[in-house]
Amino acid sequence: DLGGDSTEVQLEELHPFTQYLVSLQVLNPEGGGPLARVVVMTDEDVPSAPPDFSVSGETSGSAVVSWSRPLRPNGVISGYRLYFLLGG
């Protein structure tokens, strides 16, 4: 419950790219009024690292790189960027 003079509160520790139903009810000595409701969606955030990242099937001229989708995509995955360097 919030004090009678409150007109806003900040919700903390919400998850990225998640839909929430937020409800508010006004109270007075006679009881609670009807609920006001709104659906909100938190913003996207950077994804977690892809699990199961591995390189296999190496030949003299190629290799297979594989991975699984991130456990926490935190939004819509639009693609992947692969980097590789010549080792010494």
Side-chain angles (χ1 to χ4, degrees), residues 34-70:
L35 290 175
R37 293 185 175 110
V38 64
V39 175
V40 296
M41 183 83 164
T42 53
D43 290 339
E44 292 182 281
D45 200 357
V46 297
S48 62
D52 306 319
F53 180 65
S54 67
V55 179
S56 62
E58 299 92 341
T59 69
S60 62
S62 67
V64 176
V65 179
S66 62
W67 61 89
S68 297
R69 292 180 55 82

Side-chain angles (χ1 to χ4, degrees), residues 24-26 32-36:
L24 179 69
Q25 184 178 40
V26 179
L35 290 175

